[in-house]
Amino acid sequence: KEVQRYWDGEKPVVVALKGSTVVLPCINRNQVWTERHDEEDQQVVHWDRQPPGVPHDRADRLIDLYASGEGRSYGPLFIRQKMNITEKAFALGDFSLRIASLEVADEGIYSCHLHHHYCGLHERRIFHVSVVEPEPERKVVVNLTRSNP
C-alpha cells in the first residue's frame, strides 16, 4: 500500500508501508520495443538499486532482461523472488518492477535503464523508495463511568 507518491524536484518518491507491494513503472510502448525485429537481441533492460548513501556508480544490479528472452537476477534468492518484471515485458513494452513484502532494507534509489544498442536509444527512469512502518491502530477508550452530581 502506497502512503504517498511525490516529486522531489528530480525524481518521483514512493513512500510505502512495510510489508506492502509497490510497482515502479518503466513503460515504453514504442514500436522499437514491442515489434519483433532482427536486431531485437540488441534490446536490454536493467534495473539497479542504490542503497541509501551509496553513489550511483556503486549501485547493485537487480535484473538484466534481454529481448532474446534471456534474463538474469542478482543477489540473494529472496530478493530475486520478491522483485520481478512481467515475462511478457518486451512484447508489452512494460518493464515495471514489482517489489513485494517491502522491508526497510529495500529503501533506496531504483533506476530502470532501457538500452537499444541498434538504434542508440537509452532511457532511464529513477525512483526513490521509502518504507514506513504501519501505524499501530489506535484503540478508542470510551469512559462509561459517570461521575455522580
Side-chain angles (χ1 to χ4, degrees):
K1 188 177 158 209
E2 284 185 29
V3 179
Q4 200 181 10
R5 190 178 276 244
Y6 64 91
W7 182 259
D8 72 358
E10 54 179 334
K11 60 189 168 300
V13 176
V14 179
V15 182
L17 287 180
K18 184 177 171 188
S20 68
T21 295
V22 71
V23 175
L24 305 181
C26 185
I27 296 173
N28 187 327
R29 300 206 193 280
N30 288 352
Q31 290 177 334
V32 72
W33 291 93
T34 53
E35 279 188 3
R36 310 296 286 175
H37 291 299
D38 290 342
E39 68 273 7
E40 67 179 13
D41 294 357
Q42 302 278 347
Q43 299 176 23
V44 58
V45 174
H46 312 290
W47 273 98
D48 292 344
R49 172 178 166 264
Q50 287 165 247
V54 172
H56 66 86
D57 57 352
R58 301 270 310 281
D60 298 326
R61 178 61 48 89
L62 295 173
I63 294 171
D64 286 336
L65 201 62
Y66 299 89
S68 59
E70 189 186 350
R72 294 194 201 114
S73 298
Y74 300 91
L77 183 63
F78 73 91
I79 287 183
R80 303 204 299 263
Q81 288 174 334
K82 68 185 260 168
M83 298 192 185
N84 56 43
I85 304 177
T86 171
E87 286 174 11
K88 298 197 291 275
F90 280 99
L92 302 172
D94 184 347
F95 309 97
S96 302
L97 181 71
R98 183 174 174 276
I99 310 172
S101 310
L102 274 172
E103 296 290 333
V104 174
D106 298 323
E107 288 195 353
I109 295 172
Y110 289 78
S111 52
C112 172
H113 302 260
L114 303 172
H115 296 273
H116 195 301
H117 298 298
Y118 188 78
C119 59
L121 181 78
H122 177 215
E123 292 185 33
R124 193 164 71 145
R125 320 252 194 290
I126 305 178
F127 303 90
H128 183 153
V129 174
S130 181
V131 180
V132 293
E133 298 268 354
E135 281 189 28
E137 289 178 30
R138 292 188 186 83
K139 291 189 170 64
V140 179
V141 179
V142 181
N143 190 346
L144 293 174
T145 55
R146 289 165 97 173
S147 50
N148 295 326

